[in-house]
Amino acid sequence: MPDKILVVDDEPVQRRLLEEILKKLGYDPICVESGSEALDALSGKSGHRIKAVILDLVMPEMDGMAVLESMTAQKLFQPVIVQTAQGGVETAVGAMRAGAVDFVIKPAAPQRLNTSLQNALRMDALQGEIKRIKRSAKGNLTVDEIISSSPNMEMVKTVARKAAQSSIPVLIEGESGVGKELIARAVQGMSERASKSFVTVNCGALPENLAESILFGHEKGAFTGASEKHRGKFQEADGGTLFLDEIGELPADIQVKLLRALQEGEIDPVGASRPIKVNFRLISATNRDLMQEVRAGNFREDLYYRLNVLPILVPPLRERRADIPELLRHFTARIATEEGRPNVKLICQQAIEMLCAYDWPGNIRQLENAVFRAVVLCEGDELTISEFPQIAMEQGLDLKPVADDHKAPEMVTPMPQQNLSHLKNPAELSANEGLPLLNAAGDVISLAEAEKQIIEFAIERYNGQMSKISRKLGIGRSTLYRKLREYGLETDENDSVD
């Protein structure tokens, strides 16, 4: 789903011009003609879906500076790029002090506007990540800060808000990596227990012989090695929230004690002479079908119904692909900052389209790890399909960027098995045949061989013009020369032609 950009300009011609430019750049423009309409759009029900604002400074009734002041007063934090036909240092400084992130003179060139928007969205994503991390650490994260705009996730957020208004047990279901713990933290952050302790336990990682002690605690001398009294996770969560992840992994004897804790509000530490009262909110999560586990005799039916008072089903990432572009932007901004790679600022449209088409069996966790690897390996200032080679190969995509930034990567059509020894280099293949993916033995060629053939093809196609070759391949010239040396393609002719 393209990012929604709000255009605020009282001139009809300028509005239409900006609308067409933004559409060609891959955005979803929303156009209004006055400052009051802009504030209504930003503060309305769908205002959170607007990712940036292009604001004319000179308008009748409410000008751009007044809009900026009202946005600050109403705590509307979308990044704003101001534009005016009357440029000047004082105007720019005034707009930036009022909260704008950039300033352009109209009519702005499409590339200048795109660069400004991309920088604004990246900065907004980074600030959002920092804010989210801080609020999560303080225990007051809300569902509004969860990165999502797809309709089925809106249903999840609605149920989570209702769950936060009570203290009944919540069961969060969903595949591994969909963000179940994030939902649990948001439920706590919006409840009366916000800012209280949030204790997490991965039930699948509990040693069977120590599970009871870890969860419920033990007295000194309760068993061999119990040299000190230990407070269990339930006592740590007293007054706050206990999050039991992968609850379907709990041993049968622990399930019995958990049921008692839920029913009576008290626990029995190992070796204790009397039970201890605890006040906790239980949120559990599982990637299993617990009802199926009940039928199989692996999970207590009475405990299941006690846990499943308010179920929340989090859909997998493949069912909310509209969230992927924004997740990519946030992960790229945060990881590039954490890894000291400030040069990595963007992710190209071809890569976004490729990643949106992928099914992500590992869900958001897999997506984050893929971005982490891409940022670490990236040698330019943007992530391309070349930084995601495994995903590109799984989808049968060509690793070379296409000329049009708004077209999807080209599909590679494998050639039939045949003897290819008569070909001196891939440049002898016609554009319709494509590059060979099979060697003479009928096996798939390696990534390195495919890359070598693409570079050979590019050298032949662009007559050894290194600047043009590096630009078309989407890599820096230094990277291109290094690869020429690696593959033994470096010649005096290559070095001299440009």
Side-chain angles (χ1 to χ4, degrees), residues 208-252:
E208 191 169 346
N209 60 329
L210 295 176
E212 184 177 8
S213 172
I214 292 172
L215 288 173
F216 302 101
H218 65 254
E219 295 293 321
K220 181 178 180 180
F223 51 83
T224 303
S227 57
E228 299 291 339
K229 181 177 179 179
H230 171 69
R231 295 173 72 246
K233 297 298 182 181
F234 279 84
Q235 287 178 276
E236 289 180 23
D238 192 25
T241 302
L242 177 64
F243 176 62
L244 297 182
D245 197 9
E246 305 305 340
I247 197 168
E249 305 284 350
L250 276 181

Side-chain angles (χ1 to χ4, degrees), residues 301-424:
E301 185 174 11
D302 49 1
L303 177 59
Y304 170 75
Y305 289 116
R306 191 72 185 182
L307 295 173
N308 196 34
V309 179
L310 184 56
I312 298 178
L313 178 60
V314 184
L317 192 55
R318 62 183 173 274
E319 294 179 9
R320 45 183 172 121
R321 298 179 192 271
D323 295 339
I324 293 176
E326 192 170 359
L327 286 167
L328 286 170
R329 185 164 57 242
H330 280 256
F331 288 151
T332 302
R334 193 198 76 218
I335 294 169
T337 302
E338 291 175 348
E339 294 300 307
R341 303 294 304 276
N343 59 301
V344 182
K345 300 176 181 178
L346 311 169
I347 179 165
C348 75
Q349 187 64 25
Q350 300 125 310
I352 291 174
E353 292 175 5
M354 177 189 73
L355 298 174
C356 285
Y358 187 60
D359 278 345
W360 299 106
N363 294 293
I364 296 173
R365 185 180 296 121
Q366 182 189 5
L367 176 65
E368 183 176 10
N369 290 338
V371 174
F372 190 101
R373 177 187 180 279
V375 168
V376 170
L377 297 181
C378 184
E379 296 181 356
D381 61 357
E382 73 173 2
L383 304 182
T384 68
I385 59 175
S386 298
E387 275 72 57
F388 302 92
Q390 294 95 336
I391 295 172
M393 287 193 67
E394 283 188 43
Q395 293 188 277
L397 300 180
D398 192 349
L399 288 178
K400 75 173 188 290
V402 296
D404 185 346
D405 285 346
H406 305 298
K407 292 181 181 179
E410 297 174 0
M411 296 298 296
V412 177
T413 304
M415 295 182 66
Q417 181 176 342
Q418 55 183 298
N419 185 355
L420 304 175
S421 59
H422 66 285
L423 295 178
K424 295 180 181 180

Side-chain angles (χ1 to χ4, degrees), residues 468-484:
K468 190 171 186 179
I469 292 168
S470 64
R471 186 169 64 254
K472 293 297 183 181
L473 292 179
I475 59 177
R477 288 187 63 181
S478 60
T479 303
L480 175 60
Y481 283 121
R482 176 172 59 77
K483 291 185 181 293
L484 290 174

